[in-house]
Amino acid sequence: MKRRPIPSGGAIAYISVFNIKEIVPMSKPIGYFTGYTINDGSLVESLQEEYGSTFELMTQHEKLFLISAISAQLCDQAPGKCRDEIYVVGHQINSSLPKHDRIGLIEALINQIRYGRSLTETEVLHK
């Protein structure tokens, strides 16, 4: 049986087929990641009702589009500029890495944006 890595922080389910047990990562519901509370009348509640609590009623293409749309808008609102070398890194990532590694980098970057420390533009200039 081929083992697949389990993403950190993901819930897991045990599936038994013919006495073969496999650990399968499961998505967490939208409310785990947002300020959503039940019956709050928010857009997040509406999205959950329309597309499922884990966006299971969306295609992968649609999910990636939303990631792109949200991140582009957040990038436009973030202070500072992007260094030229980061554009090169982006091109290298998209032209060299397999899909599963690119998705993993999206997950890692989101985790760092949410919980990690980022340099300020001044700190970057003095590096």
Side-chain angles (χ1 to χ4, degrees), residues 21-116:
K21 292 184 180 181
E22 181 179 357
I23 298 173
V24 179
M26 294 179 59
S27 299
K28 293 182 181 175
I30 299 165
Y32 177 85
F33 302 99
T34 65
Y36 166 71
T37 55
I38 296 173
N39 297 321
D40 68 1
S42 67
L43 174 59
V44 175
E45 180 175 50
S46 174
L47 291 172
Q48 180 169 292
E49 288 173 2
E50 182 74 23
Y51 302 106
S53 67
T54 60
F55 289 137
E56 67 271 14
L57 300 176
M58 283 186 187
T59 67
Q60 186 176 54
H61 187 95
E62 292 167 335
K63 293 172 191 177
L64 289 168
F65 172 81
L66 289 178
I67 290 169
S68 175
I70 294 165
S71 63
Q73 197 264 350
L74 288 172
C75 182
D76 288 345
Q77 291 180 346
K81 295 184 239 176
C82 194
R83 293 174 277 170
D84 291 342
E85 67 192 73
I86 301 302
Y87 290 103
V88 173
V89 170
H91 175 73
Q92 290 170 332
I93 288 168
N94 283 324
S95 63
S96 301
L97 291 179
K99 180 181 176 182
H100 71 274
D101 283 340
R102 287 181 282 155
I103 291 171
L105 283 175
I106 290 170
E107 188 174 11
L109 288 165
I110 289 170
N111 188 276
Q112 289 301 311
I113 289 167
R114 183 168 270 201
Y115 304 111

Side-chain angles (χ1 to χ4, degrees), residues 83 85-86 117-127:
R83 293 174 277 170
E85 67 192 73
I86 301 302
R117 183 183 179 284
S118 296
L119 294 177
T120 65
E121 196 167 2
T122 304
E123 290 171 316
V124 168
L125 293 172
H126 290 99
K127 248 183 111 182

